[in-house]
Amino acid sequence: MEAEVLLQAVMDYGYIILFLWLWLGMFIAPVPNEIIVSTVGFLSGQYLHPMAALLTAYIGIIASITTSYFAGRLIGYPVLHWLQRKGPSKSVQIASSIMDKYRVYSLSFSYFIPGVRNIVPFLFGMNRLPFQKFAMLAYSSAFVWCSIFFFSGLYFGQFSKDYPWEGIAFIVLLIGFVMYIGMVTLKKIAANKNVKENETRHQ
């Protein structure tokens, strides 16, 4: 996504478009939320009100994961059966493995893992986790995640004129690091799941 596109959309329609982008974008758009929130932070250093932009982005994110949670509560099993008929979903399998290993505390870090960040809330909703517990763990994790990428983008926006290459390097390294940690975590979980499945077959 180009910064100009998001800026023009916000200028034309207000902060509501930013909210909708982060709320519904996870379900219909392939753009990673890391890029969206970093772009919002970048624009806040020059064109948008930082606190209004941060609050709008955060509300959009928690709306997205809350939608996933209640979708799991209301239509979880029919959707899961439909996915199973299509074939095993790797993202669902990984999310299930994370939940099996870390239980409810997986909500504290699942948003940092691309590919499963909205599936974990869906599965917890399907399993009828009390909403208060879900909100306490998932919303706090989302706030930390949102703040990291927002303020990284804000830093880049403020210092890009004087230190353009340093700012670019900082953003690229941060996003790359978080995504690398997420991918390594996914590979380890998938490897542990395969080992357990093999051990079960040989028993």
Side-chain angles (χ1 to χ4, degrees):
M1 179 199 306
E2 295 183 358
E4 293 83 359
V5 175
L6 180 57
L7 175 62
Q8 190 60 49
V10 174
M11 292 301 181
D12 290 343
Y13 302 103
Y15 287 97
I16 186 64
I17 195 66
L18 175 58
F19 166 76
L20 293 174
W21 213 319
L22 284 161
W23 174 28
L24 302 175
M26 175 62 67
F27 307 103
I28 61 177
V31 180
N33 276 1
E34 288 84 354
I35 296 177
I36 298 176
V37 175
S38 296
T39 301
V40 172
F42 169 78
L43 295 174
S44 297
Q46 304 176 52
Y47 307 103
L48 307 177
H49 189 286
M51 291 308 298
L54 174 60
L55 181 60
T56 304
Y58 175 61
I59 293 175
I61 288 171
I62 63 174
S64 178
I65 58 178
T66 302
T67 299
S68 293
Y69 169 83
F70 280 108
R73 288 187 70 105
L74 297 175
I75 57 172
Y77 285 102
V79 171
L80 188 61
H81 292 328
W82 177 75
L83 291 173
Q84 290 173 341
R85 285 198 301 270
K86 292 183 62 178
S89 171
K90 185 176 180 180
S91 296
V92 172
Q93 290 178 341
I94 292 173
S96 298
S97 297
I98 293 173
M99 291 171 59
D100 290 342
K101 184 173 183 179
Y102 299 102
R103 304 298 180 184
V104 70
Y105 298 105
S106 59
L107 285 167
S108 299
F109 62 85
S110 60
Y111 205 85
F112 287 83
I113 306 177
V116 302
R117 58 177 48 138
N118 270 42
I119 296 177
V120 170
F122 178 86
L123 295 178
F124 272 114
M126 191 176 68
N127 291 329
R128 301 288 177 173
L129 177 73
F131 177 75
Q132 293 83 350
K133 184 174 291 186
F134 161 79
M136 180 180 66
L137 294 170
Y139 291 2
S140 58
S141 173
F143 180 76
V144 172
W145 180 94
C146 184
S147 297
I148 289 173
F149 284 97
F150 179 87
F151 285 110
S152 297
L154 182 63
Y155 165 83
F156 173 64
Q158 290 176 335
F159 293 96
S160 59
K161 292 182 180 180
D162 296 328
Y163 308 98
W165 294 111
E166 290 85 347
I168 293 173
F170 178 79
I171 295 296
V172 170
L173 288 174
L174 178 65
I175 294 176
F177 175 74
V178 173
M179 296 186 74
Y180 171 77
I181 294 299
M183 293 305 297
V184 169
T185 302
L186 291 179
K187 288 182 179 179
K188 287 184 177 180
I189 292 171
N192 290 335
K193 181 177 179 61
N194 290 333
V195 170
K196 290 181 178 179
E197 288 178 349
N198 291 332
E199 289 177 350
T200 301
R201 292 194 191 102
H202 289 88
Q203 287 179 352

